[in-house]
Amino acid sequence: MLFRSGPTSDPVVIGQMVYKLRDLASLFDREPRQLALNAYGRSVLQPIFAKVGWKPISGESPQTTILRPLLIASLGRFDDAAIIAEAKARFLAGPSDPGAMPGDIRWAVQDVALSHADQALFDTAVARVKTLKTQIEKNDLLNDLGRVRDPALAKQVLNLTISDDVPVTVAPNMIWRLTGWHEAVAWQFALDHQEQINRGLDSMARSEFMPGLLADTHDPVMADRLAAYIDKTYPIDERAKPNAALASARQGVRFKAEQYGKIDAWLKQKGF
């Protein structure tokens, strides 16, 4: 189910393990036992990251270079205080210190810093968007604003998506990213602002956007809301892709119902 992997293990194997661990972690988000799963995740990944570190070392393999940002992002996901503090410091120093966010870890630093942002860091990020030189950089930072965990900041991100400060083509992805931590709020906002959101979507994307917001849910209430929305919105002969999203949602609900208790019992056996 879950396993440990020492710091000298194959980086490819470790990477596969990390992705599996992150998938399981999504079952525990906002659950009473989330802290236990996070503690387990840190216990697995901290010894590995201690070997890999923030900076490349001479002679390291390309696989280790790829693994580094995945470890940073994952430890941030598991609320590692030291990783979060370092990521925030690097993000804030980024404009003046080229070494703070080098290309190989840039996405991970930004991901961790913004997901754990407070109001001050969030305001800094929003202001930074206007200073970036390329639209790609701007869009990347805007999209990552959708990682915020703080509910008050999530509402600010949603308001940004229908403002003149965000390109209409970027707004839908920002809303989609918010479903990771603010599923119900993002869904309701999208329902209430479909006309504005649709400006950034082509005809095919419009038909897929709303169902796609809940395709990864583990919440039976949200799956039922998606089913009701599909029944109300789509003609029977246009439901293939929406129903595929609903099937994914139903599968996620079943998987959590079947596996959550088993994983939780395993964690307790391991002392978490």
Side-chain angles (χ1 to χ4, degrees):
M1 185 185 299
L2 301 178
F3 57 92
R4 291 182 179 276
S5 182
T8 60
S9 298
D10 183 343
V12 176
V13 174
I14 295 173
Q16 294 171 347
M17 177 269 294
V18 173
Y19 281 117
K20 291 179 180 179
L21 188 56
R22 289 172 66 97
D23 287 342
L24 292 176
S26 66
L27 301 183
F28 285 74
D29 289 342
R30 298 169 296 281
E31 293 286 353
R33 290 279 289 163
Q34 181 180 353
L35 294 179
L37 193 282
N38 286 352
Y40 173 76
R42 293 193 300 270
S43 76
V44 173
L45 301 184
Q46 283 172 342
I48 302 171
F49 188 71
K51 179 76 172 182
V52 173
W54 285 90
K55 297 179 180 180
I57 60 175
S58 177
E60 76 174 22
S61 68
Q63 291 81 9
T64 298
T65 303
I66 294 171
L67 178 63
R68 178 174 291 105
L70 178 60
L71 289 172
I72 293 169
S74 299
L75 281 165
R77 196 198 194 292
F78 294 127
D79 293 343
D80 184 293
I83 292 291
I84 294 169
E86 180 68 14
K88 287 183 174 182
R90 285 173 175 265
F91 179 80
L92 292 173
S96 59
D97 179 5
M101 296 175 64
D104 59 323
I105 63 169
R106 182 181 183 83
W107 73 264
V109 169
Q110 190 160 285
D111 177 278
V112 175
L114 293 177
S115 64
H116 294 276
D118 56 14
Q119 186 67 59
L121 192 145
F122 179 84
D123 290 343
T124 297
V126 172
R128 185 178 298 178
V129 171
K130 298 177 181 180
T131 70
L132 296 174
K133 296 180 179 179
T134 70
Q135 194 60 49
I136 292 176
E137 291 176 305
K138 293 175 187 286
N139 292 352
D140 182 56
L141 183 50
L142 285 169
N143 279 321
D144 277 348
L145 290 175
R147 303 292 191 192
V148 296
R149 295 192 189 183
D150 184 279
L153 296 182
K155 291 180 180 179
Q156 293 178 47
V157 172
L158 288 171
N159 289 333
L160 270 176
T161 65
I162 55 173
S163 74
D164 293 336
D165 293 324
V166 173
V168 294
T169 54
V170 176
N173 196 51
M174 293 173 67
I175 297 170
W176 175 78
R177 289 198 180 191
L178 277 170
T179 62
W181 289 97
H182 312 280
E183 193 172 64
V185 173
W187 170 259
Q188 189 60 52
F189 182 90
L191 278 177
D192 294 341
H193 298 86
Q194 286 189 70
E195 183 176 349
Q196 290 126 305
I197 296 168
N198 282 343
R199 295 203 306 264
L201 301 168
D202 60 32
S203 58
M204 181 176 293
R206 288 176 187 175
S207 68
E208 299 175 7
F209 176 71
M210 292 299 298
L213 290 179
L214 297 182
D216 295 328
T217 191
H218 296 107
D219 185 341
V221 173
M222 299 309 295
D224 287 344
R225 290 182 186 177
L226 176 56
Y229 176 82
I230 291 171
D231 287 342
K232 179 180 178 180
T233 306
Y234 298 91
I236 292 177
D237 60 350
E238 296 178 10
R239 293 184 183 179
K241 289 187 176 180
N243 280 340
L246 178 59
S248 175
R250 296 292 194 203
Q251 176 59 31
V253 170
R254 286 193 297 271
F255 182 77
K256 181 170 182 175
E258 294 168 357
Q259 299 299 325
Y260 181 89
K262 296 176 184 179
I263 299 169
D264 189 37
W266 187 90
L267 287 171
K268 290 176 180 176
Q269 289 178 354
K270 294 296 182 181
F272 293 93

